[in-house]
Amino acid sequence: MSIKVQLSASLVHDAKSASEISGRSIPEQIEHWARLGKVAVENTDLPIDMLQDMFVSIEEVKAGNLNPYNFG
């Protein structure tokens, strides 16, 4: 489902800058921030850096960029 949302110019400006660095579109960057914020609120005991690393790991799995680790 997609809906129109009015956002402040400063948020869109910040998202534009961050999206250029991250390789996301502006809407994708805002969605990323929203998801990260939601997870941070739901998991206040976890550091934000750890949550960001988890998001990166999820994207790497989706992209097939990981190799299995062989124990022993």
Side-chain angles (χ1 to χ4, degrees):
M1 176 176 96
S2 118
I3 61 169
K4 291 183 180 184
V5 178
Q6 193 169 26
L7 304 171
S8 69
S10 64
L11 177 65
V12 174
H13 180 269
D14 292 346
K16 183 177 187 297
S17 298
S19 70
E20 291 170 358
I21 294 167
S22 67
R24 296 181 185 99
S25 68
I26 295 172
E28 288 170 339
Q29 183 64 43
I30 294 170
E31 284 183 22
H32 173 74
W33 284 342
R35 284 190 192 100
L36 185 58
K38 179 179 181 286
V39 172
V41 167
E42 293 171 348
N43 298 279
T44 56
D45 55 327
L46 297 177
I48 194 73
D49 291 342
M50 183 178 188
L51 297 173
Q52 288 174 316
D53 290 344
M54 292 168 68
F55 273 52
V56 169
S57 297
I58 291 168
E59 292 305 314
E60 287 177 339
V61 168
K62 288 179 184 176
N65 293 336
L66 300 178
N67 295 321
Y69 181 80
N70 296 317
F71 290 93

